[in-house]
Amino acid sequence: MRKFLVVLDDSRECLNAMRFAALRAAHTGGGVEVLAVIPPEEFNHWIGVGAIMREEARERIHAHFEVFAKWMRDKQGVDPELVIREGEPVKEIMAQVADDPEVGVLVLGASTEKSGPGPLVTQLSKNSGSLPIPITVVPGDLSKERLEAIT
């Protein structure tokens, strides 16, 4: 089954990327794989504190994921998978694409800020020529109705 890989983070544009991935998966018989990346700088503390912070980060990710997963299951009939990796976000996204041959499309949300589309879109666009899959960039200010119409 072809999967849409979407990155879970705290950005506003993440919502549209999740919606797009779920709608496309529902309409094409695909799946959704949600990737959360815990940056290494969050754990540069004493060993005990770092372990506690890592566990708290995982708990936050699971709670955040469950909100999206419930909507995907209830409204779109898609049961998403959660993958949590630790490291630099772009490297971990590339590694996940390489590790899971069922991933067919990377879905990213673009920020509406004047400073640009966001660090992931910017960095991954630079590497897009060497990616083994296409990237779909979903505008952060696209309405829910428009998203439903184009998927």
Side-chain angles (χ1 to χ4, degrees), residues 31-141:
V32 175
E33 186 170 273
V34 177
L35 174 64
V37 180
I38 303 171
E41 62 269 6
E42 287 193 26
F43 309 114
N44 289 341
H45 301 282
W46 298 297
I47 292 172
V49 174
I52 291 169
M53 291 179 71
R54 182 176 286 110
E55 186 56 35
E56 288 174 352
R58 287 181 176 276
E59 288 173 10
R60 279 192 315 274
I61 289 166
H62 279 282
H64 199 177
F65 168 76
E66 278 308 316
V67 171
F68 289 114
K70 181 174 179 6
W71 175 82
M72 287 183 197
R73 285 185 211 109
D74 294 350
K75 301 291 185 185
Q76 303 305 321
V78 174
D79 191 20
E81 306 173 39
L82 174 64
V83 175
I84 301 174
R85 298 180 77 113
E86 294 181 23
E88 296 299 325
V90 171
K91 286 183 182 179
E92 295 306 320
I93 292 167
M94 300 289 279
Q96 186 61 31
V97 168
D99 289 350
D100 189 343
E102 290 185 335
V103 170
V105 178
L106 173 60
V107 180
L108 299 173
S111 173
T112 59
E113 301 296 321
K114 288 183 169 69
S115 59
L120 288 181
V121 173
T122 301
Q123 291 174 35
L124 286 162
S125 294
K126 291 177 185 176
N127 297 325
S128 62
S130 61
L131 277 173
I133 60 171
I135 299 175
T136 297
V137 179
V138 182
D141 62 355

